[in-house]
Amino acid sequence: DAKTTQPNSMESNEEEPVHLPCNHSTISGTDYIHWYRQLPSQGPEYVIHGLTSNVNNRMASLAIAEDRKSSTLILHRATLRDAAVYYCILRDRPIEDSSYKLIFGSGTRLLVRP
Amino acid sequence: GAGVSQSPRYKVAKRGQDVALRCDPISGHVSLFWYQQALGQGPEFLTYFQNEAQLDKSGLPSDRFFAERPEGSVSTLKIQRTQQEDSAVYLCASSFRDTGYGYTFGSGTRLTVV
């Protein structure tokens, strides 16, 4: 699986938007971009995923660069409950009977100031 | 249940002791994963089941680690002759289909080997 690069940490003020960057310059044409987050003392939680087009859901938005070498997770209004480690993960499309494991990096620790 | 349940939540083992960690996935979920997470790091893949078949065990660090899912639902991760470096949080995840998104993680079992 291709590798991703994320900042170790970021800070944000409550109720302000947050843009979490991820670089993946070696992404292949069939790699999906996934984002998970891990709140303290919990397991990771799915946030969003995409392939080429920008994606929106109730939790966040995913903006994917035209060349797909980078992407940005956008939290529109950060709350204290958004303080977590955010992981950007690349994974190829599912193949019959193959392992679909997610390879986690170190992620970005997001601190939200009240 | 509504989520992935792991037990025990905490386990303290003396070095050399055998331990068994249990994972109850969401009912009907075909795929099941085990991950190991050391303090301050991202989760690392251990093994993957599709129903009762263990299709990928490439992440198991040694032959002291063994996982099973005999009836395609509950899974057990067993660690024999525990060592201090086995101290970590062990996470279980399940999904209905292997798509890379929508994986549901449990809160994990924190294993401390003393």
Side-chain angles (χ1 to χ4, degrees):
Chain A
D1 295 292
K3 189 174 179 179
T4 63
T5 304
Q6 299 178 254
N8 289 332
S9 64
M10 291 185 65
E11 292 189 23
S12 172
N13 293 319
E14 196 175 12
E15 298 189 5
E16 289 185 356
V18 181
H19 291 234
L20 297 166
C22 180
N23 288 319
H24 29 79
S25 58
T26 59
I27 190 171
S28 74
T30 53
D31 279 334
Y32 284 78
I33 303 161
H34 301 261
W35 284 82
Y36 279 73
R37 73 178 186 181
Q38 188 171 22
L39 280 64
S41 301
Q42 293 188 28
E45 171 189 32
Y46 167 76
V47 177
I48 201 167
H49 80 286
L51 183 62
T52 56
S53 303
N54 294 344
V55 184
N56 300 295
N57 66 20
R58 65 173 181 82
M59 290 182 70
S61 296
L62 176 60
I64 302 173
E66 196 170 333
D67 63 4
R68 301 209 329 123
K69 294 184 184 300
S70 66
S71 60
T72 302
L73 180 70
I74 303 167
L75 307 179
H76 296 286
R77 287 180 71 236
T79 70
L80 296 179
R81 288 176 294 180
D82 291 323
V85 178
Y86 287 78
Y87 297 98
C88 171
I89 302 166
L90 301 184
R91 216 204 63 176
D92 205 345
R93 62 187 172 188
I95 300 172
E96 188 78 25
D97 283 344
S98 72
S99 177
Y100 301 112
K101 59 180 178 275
L102 298 172
I103 307 297
F104 290 82
S106 304
T108 297
R109 182 172 298 277
L110 176 65
L111 304 174
V112 181
R113 293 185 292 258
Chain B
V4 176
S5 177
Q6 292 188 246
S7 61
R9 188 75 174 90
Y10 302 94
K11 176 70 179 177
V12 178
K14 291 184 178 179
R15 190 167 50 185
Q17 185 179 355
D18 297 348
V19 299
L21 312 179
R22 177 186 171 105
C23 172
D24 282 88
I26 293 174
S27 179
H29 276 195
V30 169
S31 300
L32 186 145
F33 297 80
W34 283 98
Y35 284 81
Q36 179 190 59
Q37 186 170 27
L39 189 64
Q41 299 183 22
E44 292 196 4
F45 169 78
L46 293 178
T47 188
Y48 159 68
F49 289 87
Q50 187 177 89
N51 295 305
E52 69 278 3
Q54 189 175 19
L55 298 186
D56 187 346
K57 51 183 181 179
S58 62
L60 296 176
S62 76
D63 58 7
R64 297 186 296 105
F65 287 72
F66 172 77
E68 60 183 4
R69 194 185 184 198
E71 298 180 356
S73 55
V74 172
S75 177
T76 304
L77 177 66
K78 298 179 180 178
I79 308 173
Q80 298 177 323
R81 304 181 302 280
T82 52
Q83 301 176 7
Q84 282 192 315
E85 59 262 31
D86 300 334
S87 295
V89 175
Y90 290 86
L91 295 162
C92 176
S94 72
S95 73
F96 177 64
R97 298 178 65 182
D98 297 308
T99 56
Y101 60 89
Y103 287 3
T104 302
F105 282 80
S107 296
T109 294
R110 180 177 296 279
L111 172 65
T112 303
V113 181
V114 298

